Amino acid sequence: MLRRLTPGAGDANALPMLDLRPVGYVIGLLVAMLGLTMLLPMLVDLATGDEHWSVFLECAILTFLTGGFVALSCQTAKGKGLTIQQTFLLTTGVWLTLPLFGALPFLLGDTEARFVDAFFEAMSGLTTTGSTVFAGLETMPKGLLLWRGLLQWLGGIGIIVVAMVFLPELRVGGMQIFRSEGFDTFGKILPRATEISSRISVIYLALTMMCALAYILTGMNAFDATVHAMTTIATGGFANYDASFGAFSGGTEYVAVVFMLLAALPFVRFVQLTAGSAKPLFADSQIRAFFMTAAAIVALIGAWQFFIVGVQTEAGFRKVLFNSVSILTGTGYASADYMLWGSFPVAILFFTGLIGGCAGSTACSIKVFRYQLLFASIRVQLMKIQQPRGVFTPRYQGRRVDEDVLNSVMSFFVFFTVTLGVLAVLLGMTGLDFTTALSGAAAALANIGPGLGDTIGPSGNFADINDAAKWLLSAGMLIGRLELLAVYAILTTQFWRS
Amino acid sequence: MLRRLTPGAGDANALPMLDLRPVGYVIGLLVAMLGLTMLLPMLVDLATGDEHWSVFLECAILTFLTGGFVALSCQTAKGKGLTIQQTFLLTTGVWLTLPLFGALPFLLGDTEARFVDAFFEAMSGLTTTGSTVFAGLETMPKGLLLWRGLLQWLGGIGIIVVAMVFLPELRVGGMQIFRSEGFDTFGKILPRATEISSRISVIYLALTMMCALAYILTGMNAFDATVHAMTTIATGGFANYDASFGAFSGGTEYVAVVFMLLAALPFVRFVQLTAGSAKPLFADSQIRAFFMTAAAIVALIGAWQFFIVGVQTEAGFRKVLFNSVSILTGTGYASADYMLWGSFPVAILFFTGLIGGCAGSTACSIKVFRYQLLFASIRVQLMKIQQPRGVFTPRYQGRRVDEDVLNSVMSFFVFFTVTLGVLAVLLGMTGLDFTTALSGAAAALANIGPGLGDTIGPSGNFADINDAAKWLLSAGMLIGRLELLAVYAILTTQFWRS
Ligand SMILES: [K+]
Ligand SMILES: [K+]
């Protein structure tokens, strides 16, 4: 009580305050890097003789200078370790700040987007969601199309680093199960993030180039191949055409399936693979469960199409395979309007989106390892019910699972479900019908992209929904991408007190 | 291995086999009692001069004799204690067997229902779900209407006993938190169930009579008042009119609101109240949370109707109050077609149905205490995330919550959600559209009754959906009513091995 009444209590020197400089320094650097990246679409516009290039130059200068200025002004904190609070703020801060600058080209460029649309598109990009507010993509300057691809590509690698380094340390959503041993000081989180980033970058770039090459070999032009390779490996789903992947077919679809699946695997396994060790890749039960899930979904929808609907062609199977994998991995490309396939595929695809890929990949949603842990825990529950005095422990990858991890995963599941419900209700409040609201909430929170129904379904886009809904969906993308608790923790009063 | 090959292994004497006689004895007795209950609608049909009475006599004799015969043939097991396996089998067995006999009057009576319809209606009755396959209720013999009411009324008191005695002992879905101390032997479960039943019966009957009286005072005729009082206190929701509660209005609706809310409270509090102790009623945090939830939902939908839609009459508020409480308590009466209220009420009512009433009442769904425990656990998670070395324990009603209870509740939530998803997908497979499939799955699993959409929504019924969907929904009602794990435990191989 006394301290509150002391006049100097508001003074930074009187109370230990949260030092925002280390956070500002990293965010500033990342913003500056985003500014530099804007020079790539500028070059493309220059190469295609599009006057639009000047927009990117302007945005690049603005972004680079702002980021550089912030980084410089926080430079005194360089090299300092991060506290747990700072790490939380950094994670959410990055995904709140970068979209603001990523939106600039949409605001100032040919799209002449309003702020809400530009922000939505940039957030949708950096969170690798892939919902788009733009129609008429065919006539968009190539630079802007590349920019959309780049946003997702950068968001994709960013999230792998967050999932491999930040979330395990923050003990968010059970990600502590992927915590590497002998490393538990927040002080070392930034050097480690830098080290992981550079190691992952090589693999990420290599996968993207392989994907682009395969796209070219199956008929895409070089530009489309580059952009789509970026949004494939990011499981982002932005396409260069309003028809999404409907613009391509045959071999291209199979190529996309292979790389969407690869992009949904834990990237640490690729690191190990390039280091000569293939065993972890094949021993990973999450990967096995993921492929089994994919196979089951394709089989179920495939059987429906084959036996009930009577589509018995190779093209029919390909559409099932492509669109199922696209939803499961949270990529969100559509090569057919699966709303027309009937009640069963629609229902199963809705829930498929709530499964997702593996942890440590670019895929989002609840993720396979959480279902594995949840089912392991339920199995133990069922055994306990029948033998109340028995002692059972759930296991994952052959090891006993810590109670703390299980609680974390279950809290995540509850939080995800409740957030989904609240978001759907709020979207309903803005006037969206039930199917659009519920599937839109799921598409944003699980970073899938397209929802169900005529408006935001595979054949639609997010252009015509109201502004309030766009803000809500943007928030949903952010919350979902950062595994909910990383964002919610900041909203607690306790966070700011300690 | 050797034992399997031994010729005598199939012999009951060679291996300790599950003794089904105690289960058969109790189920037989209950079936016989159900047979006796059929004499009530017979009397009503006799009194109204309806020839239909003979159907009930026939059904009564058939049911009473079958039940009596089974009970007699298992009589040797009378007075024996139940093992945990037998208790599981008894719980599920009761709710599988009684609907078979409860369906007889629909099969043989004026409704001339097919087996699937009759079973669906009886299961919907005994699980207090209230979905109906019958249209033209106004022309149905009074005896059959009373039978529908009786099924729900019996199901209601049955489930209170199960929730108070069986589930806590079976440690299902966190119900062990309501386990009374000094009582943990399965041997005593039947005497205790009998004791609780008789104590609860008085209160249950008194509440029903008070409700019926209040209905009469606000304008219902004696017959409607009796049947609706039964389905109100059972939070069942069967009505005597196709328009459900749309046939009544004004004071009757307010009366229904009061009794629906009462029926969703833990009945143990009423027992304590009649014993002269009102304190537990007011000290129960579950009850407080339940009323706060109800108030919040009514306020939200009321504000929408008042400010956005512009319905500013008493009748408008009454419809909001009545239908919100009806869904929250899982009663499922409709006094207005809330599908027409717009996107927000529809979305919020869908999720309201997934909340439900208090444990130990006739209400179903996930229930308030589970959300309280889940949120307590999530709060602890958020604190742990910020102070990884801190020790926090979730509390409920002022007491520390056992890790075992938390795990149980979380498993329940996961199981409920996954079952909801699987059921919706299966319903989609039978051809129901997305909204009908998803809301139908929720309406069955949470024992609400009506779903969303034109077919099974508040203005529709379940007559025209396909047979496969009817079987699936019947299974959903059973699984949901018995809190999932009580049914799933039986489906594990381990159950039959031990
Ligand atoms: K996506
Ligand atoms: K009901």
Side-chain angles (χ1 to χ4, degrees):
Chain A
M1 279 305 273
L2 253 177
R3 275 220 283 178
R4 277 206 179 169
L5 297 170
T6 312
D11 191 325
N13 298 319
L15 273 177
M17 272 197 33
L18 187 58
D19 186 2
L20 290 175
R21 286 172 309 152
V23 178
Y25 179 70
V26 177
I27 292 182
L29 279 186
L30 290 173
V31 168
M33 280 165 62
L34 189 75
L36 289 180
T37 320
M38 288 174 182
L39 297 176
L40 288 174
M42 183 193 77
L43 291 176
V44 167
D45 276 351
L46 271 173
T48 53
D50 197 321
E51 288 181 2
H52 196 268
W53 68 269
S54 59
V55 171
F56 282 107
L57 183 59
E58 197 185 327
C59 295
I61 294 172
L62 193 66
T63 305
F64 180 79
L65 288 184
T66 313
F69 176 78
V70 170
L72 278 177
S73 65
C74 298
Q75 202 190 12
T76 46
K78 189 184 165 184
K80 276 194 187 176
L82 292 183
T83 67
I84 192 163
Q85 272 86 355
Q86 288 166 337
T87 312
F88 269 108
L89 282 177
L90 176 60
T91 316
T92 307
V94 166
W95 262 270
L96 262 177
T97 315
L98 292 190
L100 284 173
F101 292 93
L104 284 177
F106 303 124
L107 274 174
L108 307 176
D110 263 16
T111 39
E112 293 181 332
R114 291 178 309 127
F115 179 60
V116 54
D117 285 330
F119 184 80
F120 180 98
E121 192 81 4
M123 182 61 95
S124 174
L126 283 160
T127 57
T128 76
T129 306
S131 308
T132 186
V133 290
F134 296 128
L137 296 171
E138 290 78 359
T139 60
M140 206 182 252
K142 292 253 181 303
L144 278 176
L145 290 175
L146 178 63
W147 184 236
R148 290 167 82 244
L150 276 168
L151 284 174
Q152 294 209 318
W153 198 67
L154 295 173
I157 186 153
I159 215 64
I160 297 175
V161 174
V162 164
M164 286 179 69
V165 184
F166 287 79
L167 298 181
E169 288 308 306
L170 295 176
R171 305 172 156 274
V172 160
M175 293 294 283
Q176 56 265 46
I177 206 172
F178 301 110
R179 214 154 161 243
S180 27
E181 283 139 41
F183 166 70
D184 61 349
T185 46
F186 276 88
K188 295 181 196 144
I189 205 163
L190 285 179
R192 184 169 160 88
T194 317
E195 181 203 328
I196 294 267
S197 305
S198 58
R199 267 207 259 172
I200 293 286
S201 294
V202 180
I203 289 159
Y204 195 68
L205 190 66
L207 271 175
T208 311
M209 283 166 63
M210 279 158 60
C211 181
L213 191 68
Y215 278 149
I216 291 174
L217 291 177
T218 50
M220 269 196 206
N221 66 48
F223 178 74
D224 284 347
T226 309
V227 173
H228 287 93
M230 284 177 173
T231 61
T232 303
I233 299 302
T235 64
F238 272 155
N240 286 351
Y241 301 89
D242 285 354
S244 186
F245 238 75
F248 313 104
S249 67
T252 327
E253 284 174 276
Y254 288 114
V255 168
V257 165
V258 170
F259 284 95
M260 287 191 285
L261 288 171
L262 287 176
L265 301 186
F267 270 66
V268 65
R269 300 283 168 255
F270 297 135
V271 176
Q272 292 163 325
L273 194 67
T274 49
S277 167
K279 211 187 144 205
L281 182 71
F282 292 100
D284 191 332
S285 79
Q286 188 179 202
I287 296 180
R288 269 203 306 279
F290 170 69
F291 276 110
M292 273 158 57
T293 309
I297 292 165
V298 171
L300 282 170
I301 303 184
W304 170 274
Q305 291 291 87
F306 192 90
F307 295 109
I308 311 288
V309 182
V311 178
Q312 308 186 341
T313 58
E314 178 271 339
F317 169 75
R318 189 175 2 107
K319 298 294 172 202
V320 170
L321 177 71
F322 179 91
N323 291 283
S324 303
V325 167
S326 172
I327 298 290
L328 178 65
T329 59
T331 310
Y333 290 138
S335 73
D337 186 355
Y338 43 78
M339 288 304 297
L340 307 175
W341 291 358
S343 51
F344 175 61
V346 169
I348 209 170
L349 285 174
F350 174 78
F351 291 103
T352 296
L354 300 180
I355 301 175
C358 302
S361 73
T362 60
C364 187
S365 197
I366 292 172
K367 298 201 184 76
V368 173
F369 87 99
R370 290 210 179 88
Y371 283 100
Q372 290 180 289
L373 287 172
L374 289 173
F375 289 142
S377 166
I378 282 177
R379 243 190 106 232
V380 164
Q381 276 296 315
L382 280 171
M383 294 200 285
K384 257 193 201 152
I385 282 174
Q386 290 164 44
Q387 294 176 30
R389 274 162 195 84
V391 177
F392 311 95
T393 4
R395 304 179 81 85
Y396 179 67
Q397 312 263 36
R399 270 185 297 178
R400 299 165 127 241
V401 181
D402 207 38
E403 195 70 54
D404 179 49
V405 172
L406 272 187
N407 278 337
S408 234
V409 169
M410 289 190 164
S411 302
F412 177 90
F413 188 85
V414 175
F415 241 137
F416 192 94
T417 317
V418 172
T419 304
L420 183 66
V422 171
L423 188 55
V425 168
L426 292 175
L427 289 170
M429 199 188 268
T430 72
L432 303 191
D433 68 89
F434 182 70
T435 303
T436 305
L438 184 60
S439 68
L445 205 60
N447 301 135
I448 304 162
L452 300 177
D454 295 333
T455 317
I456 61 167
S459 66
N461 58 54
F462 288 72
D464 294 330
I465 62 167
N466 64 78
D467 286 0
K470 282 173 187 164
W471 288 119
L472 285 168
L473 289 168
S474 301
M477 295 174 200
L478 174 77
I479 291 168
R481 186 71 273 190
L482 298 181
E483 316 254 311
L484 298 99
L485 288 162
V487 179
Y488 286 140
I490 294 178
L491 303 178
T492 59
T493 50
Q494 206 216 345
F495 180 85
W496 297 99
R497 226 186 287 148
S498 57
Chain B
M1 279 305 272
L2 252 179
R3 274 219 285 179
R4 278 206 178 169
L5 297 172
T6 312
D11 191 327
N13 299 320
L15 271 177
M17 270 197 34
L18 187 59
D19 184 2
L20 289 176
R21 288 171 308 148
V23 178
Y25 180 68
V26 178
I27 292 181
L29 279 188
L30 290 174
V31 168
M33 280 165 63
L34 189 76
L36 289 181
T37 320
M38 289 174 181
L39 299 176
L40 287 175
M42 182 194 77
L43 290 177
V44 167
D45 276 351
L46 272 174
T48 54
D50 196 321
E51 289 181 3
H52 196 267
W53 68 269
S54 59
V55 171
F56 282 107
L57 183 61
E58 195 186 328
C59 295
I61 294 170
L62 193 66
T63 306
F64 180 80
L65 288 184
T66 313
F69 177 78
V70 171
L72 278 177
S73 66
C74 299
Q75 203 189 11
T76 46
K78 189 184 166 186
K80 275 196 188 174
L82 291 182
T83 66
I84 191 161
Q85 271 87 353
Q86 288 167 337
T87 312
F88 269 109
L89 281 177
L90 176 60
T91 317
T92 306
V94 167
W95 262 268
L96 261 178
T97 315
L98 292 192
L100 284 174
F101 292 92
L104 284 178
F106 304 123
L107 273 174
L108 307 176
D110 263 17
T111 38
E112 294 181 330
R114 294 179 304 128
F115 179 60
V116 54
D117 284 329
F119 185 80
F120 179 96
E121 193 80 5
M123 182 61 95
S124 174
L126 283 161
T127 56
T128 79
T129 306
S131 309
T132 185
V133 290
F134 296 129
L137 296 172
E138 290 78 0
T139 61
M140 204 182 251
K142 291 252 182 303
L144 277 176
L145 290 175
L146 178 64
W147 184 237
R148 290 167 82 243
L150 277 168
L151 284 174
Q152 294 211 316
W153 197 69
L154 295 172
I157 187 153
I159 216 63
I160 297 175
V161 174
V162 165
M164 285 179 70
V165 184
F166 288 79
L167 299 182
E169 288 309 305
L170 295 177
R171 306 175 157 272
V172 160
M175 293 295 281
Q176 56 265 48
I177 205 172
F178 301 110
R179 215 156 161 238
S180 27
E181 284 138 38
F183 166 71
D184 60 350
T185 46
F186 276 90
K188 295 179 196 145
I189 205 163
L190 285 179
R192 183 170 162 87
T194 316
E195 181 203 329
I196 294 267
S197 305
S198 58
R199 267 207 259 170
I200 293 284
S201 294
V202 181
I203 289 159
Y204 195 69
L205 189 66
L207 271 175
T208 310
M209 283 167 62
M210 281 158 60
C211 181
L213 192 68
Y215 278 149
I216 290 175
L217 290 177
T218 51
M220 268 195 205
N221 66 48
F223 178 73
D224 284 347
T226 309
V227 174
H228 287 93
M230 284 176 172
T231 61
T232 303
I233 300 303
T235 64
F238 272 156
N240 286 350
Y241 301 88
D242 285 354
S244 186
F245 238 74
F248 313 104
S249 67
T252 326
E253 283 174 275
Y254 288 114
V255 167
V257 166
V258 170
F259 284 94
M260 287 192 287
L261 288 172
L262 287 176
L265 302 186
F267 270 66
V268 65
R269 300 285 168 254
F270 297 136
V271 176
Q272 291 163 326
L273 195 67
T274 51
S277 169
K279 213 187 141 204
L281 183 71
F282 292 100
D284 191 332
S285 78
Q286 187 180 202
I287 296 180
R288 269 204 306 279
F290 170 68
F291 276 110
M292 273 157 57
T293 309
I297 291 164
V298 171
L300 282 170
I301 303 184
W304 170 275
Q305 291 292 85
F306 191 90
F307 295 110
I308 311 288
V309 181
V311 179
Q312 309 186 339
T313 58
E314 178 272 339
F317 169 75
R318 190 177 0 107
K319 299 294 173 203
V320 170
L321 177 71
F322 179 91
N323 291 283
S324 303
V325 169
S326 172
I327 299 290
L328 178 65
T329 59
T331 309
Y333 289 139
S335 75
D337 187 356
Y338 43 77
M339 288 304 297
L340 307 174
W341 291 358
S343 51
F344 174 60
V346 169
I348 208 169
L349 284 175
F350 174 78
F351 291 104
T352 296
L354 300 180
I355 300 176
C358 303
S361 73
T362 60
C364 188
S365 196
I366 293 172
K367 299 203 184 74
V368 173
F369 87 99
R370 291 210 179 88
Y371 283 100
Q372 290 180 290
L373 288 172
L374 289 173
F375 289 141
S377 166
I378 282 178
R379 242 190 106 231
V380 163
Q381 276 295 317
L382 279 171
M383 294 201 284
K384 257 193 201 151
I385 281 174
Q386 289 163 44
Q387 294 174 30
R389 274 161 195 84
V391 176
F392 311 95
T393 4
R395 303 180 82 83
Y396 180 67
Q397 311 263 37
R399 271 185 297 178
R400 299 164 128 242
V401 181
D402 208 40
E403 195 72 52
D404 179 48
V405 171
L406 273 186
N407 278 337
S408 232
V409 169
M410 289 188 164
S411 300
F412 177 89
F413 187 86
V414 175
F415 241 139
F416 192 94
T417 317
V418 172
T419 304
L420 183 66
V422 171
L423 188 54
V425 167
L426 292 176
L427 288 170
M429 199 187 267
T430 72
L432 303 191
D433 67 89
F434 181 70
T435 303
T436 304
L438 184 60
S439 68
L445 206 60
N447 300 136
I448 304 163
L452 299 178
D454 294 334
T455 317
I456 62 167
S459 65
N461 59 55
F462 288 72
D464 295 329
I465 60 168
N466 63 77
D467 287 358
K470 282 174 188 164
W471 287 119
L472 286 168
L473 289 168
S474 301
M477 294 176 202
L478 174 78
I479 292 168
R481 185 72 271 189
L482 297 182
E483 317 254 312
L484 298 99
L485 289 162
V487 179
Y488 287 138
I490 294 179
L491 303 178
T492 58
T493 50
Q494 205 217 346
F495 180 87
W496 297 99
R497 226 182 289 149
S498 57

